[in-house]
Amino acid sequence: MAFEPDPDAGQPGTVKLADGRWAYRWKDAPDLELIILKQPENQKQPENQPHN
């Protein structure tokens, strides 16, 4: 992506999470349904998350 997403405040669309990951949230979706798009290079992938 050529832009930095806005910090996550519960809004739909592409957001930057507090831990630096980028995610996508569908309109009216709960936080558990975030789709992780990108994470910082130095951040280890959580074992319970699928690898993209």
Side-chain angles (χ1 to χ4, degrees), residues 1-48:
M1 296 184 144
F3 65 93
E4 181 87 6
D6 291 330
D8 183 28
Q11 74 275 26
T14 305
V15 297
K16 184 173 183 181
L17 303 176
D19 63 7
R21 295 181 297 166
W22 294 12
Y24 185 83
R25 176 185 287 111
W26 294 100
K27 183 178 179 184
D28 299 323
D31 285 343
L32 296 177
E33 294 182 20
L34 289 172
I35 299 169
I36 303 301
L37 302 173
K38 176 183 172 184
Q39 65 185 39
E41 295 289 329
N42 60 356
Q43 186 178 38
K44 187 176 180 181
Q45 181 77 26
E47 291 191 24
N48 62 351

